[in-house]
Amino acid sequence: MRTLGKVLCAVVMSAGVLAVSGGPASAAIVCNAAGDCWHARETYQYRPEFGVVVHPDNWRWAQAEHYRWREHEGRGYWDGDHWRGF
């Protein structure tokens, strides 16, 4: 009987970990007109005046296009050399 209780406890704890971790996070690649690109780990609503384009996570630029990765933590966008958080 004690073994059954331990197994049941392990199952409940595993389910709790899965519920907290959730499924795969949605992500996107965001680029500005200057060619700076970064990964957005959440879905954000970027205002048109931010001047960014949101691509699916599997997007890749073409060989003749000039982009560069500029990752940054948190919500926001690159505006020249400045990260503008929102």
Side-chain angles (χ1 to χ4, degrees):
M1 190 66 166
R2 290 178 81 119
T3 304
L4 180 61
K6 288 180 182 179
V7 170
L8 190 55
C9 182
V11 169
V12 170
M13 288 177 62
S14 297
V17 169
L18 288 174
V20 171
S21 65
S26 88
I29 296 172
V30 185
C31 300
N32 63 19
D36 300 314
C37 297
W38 61 96
H39 287 92
R41 309 263 184 261
E42 303 289 332
T43 302
Y44 303 125
Q45 294 296 322
Y46 291 95
R47 295 184 197 163
E49 60 266 23
F50 293 169
V52 300
V53 177
V54 180
H55 303 281
D57 192 44
N58 63 352
W59 176 82
R60 302 291 179 254
W61 55 78
Q63 187 174 0
E65 295 178 309
H66 299 285
Y67 290 94
R68 65 190 159 273
W69 290 112
R70 289 189 75 186
E71 299 293 354
H72 198 285
E73 291 295 322
R75 298 182 341 162
Y77 64 100
W78 284 105
D79 181 15
D81 287 332
H82 302 285
W83 177 257
R84 308 283 185 197
F86 59 83

